[in-house]
Amino acid sequence: MIGARWGATDAEVAAPQPCDALSGEGATHADRAISIAAPVDVVYRWLCQLRAAPYSYDLLDNFGRRSPRTLTPGLERLALGQRVMRLFTVASFAPDDHLTVSSGRHTAVTYAVSPEGVGTRLAVRAVFMMPRHVTRLLLLGDLVMMRKQLLTLKVLAEGT
């Protein structure tokens, strides 16, 4: 399906992710991935910043407020049920491994970090539990927004 993959390897698409357990039969997966020249703990710390802002197109998804460009102390202390990017809640997490968020019954997303050389590989899977005709539109919008989010997190993590 158009928009279902950006930057993800075949192995990343095939690998199970925690968000898969939150999806039902017939869910649509969207896989995105990026290499970041920063240690896993730094990239994971930036993922925790999603509690404060979406790090995508701030004019569209952050009411015009700029997502913080420095790490906010305390955001790395995650707990189940915490709000993330206003629309999601923390569904599961493992420090320096993954952060999985959910918007109830419709969408779940896992951000998984793993070592890659001297840097980090950030693989993201979004799972949509909606009718196919709705999901087709969501995939394109998600691709645009998620690509921007991952590129922004890459720049910030590499600058830390």
Side-chain angles (χ1 to χ4, degrees), residues 100-130:
T100 299
V101 299
S102 172
S103 69
R105 300 177 306 134
H106 302 293
T107 306
V109 183
T110 294
Y111 296 83
V113 293
S114 60
E116 179 184 63
V118 295
T120 301
R121 186 70 173 167
L122 172 56
V124 182
R125 174 166 301 145
V127 180
F128 302 103
M129 289 84 60
M130 298 172 209

Side-chain angles (χ1 to χ4, degrees), residues 55-77:
Y55 288 90
S56 186
Y57 292 100
D58 287 335
L59 187 59
L60 296 174
D61 61 6
N62 203 25
F63 303 109
R65 291 187 301 258
R66 186 170 185 179
S67 297
R69 294 312 199 237
T70 58
L71 292 170
T72 305
L75 290 183
E76 72 280 4
R77 291 191 288 276

Side-chain angles (χ1 to χ4, degrees), residues 34-40 42-43 116 118-121 154 157-160:
I34 193 166
S35 294
I36 302 174
V40 167
V42 171
V43 176
E116 179 184 63
V118 295
T120 301
R121 186 70 173 167
K154 173 183 172 73
E158 289 177 350
T160 300

Side-chain angles (χ1 to χ4, degrees), residues 35-55:
S35 294
I36 302 174
V40 167
D41 63 319
V42 171
V43 176
Y44 188 81
R45 188 71 174 75
W46 277 103
L47 291 178
C48 294
Q49 288 287 123
L50 295 176
R51 287 181 50 206
Y55 288 90

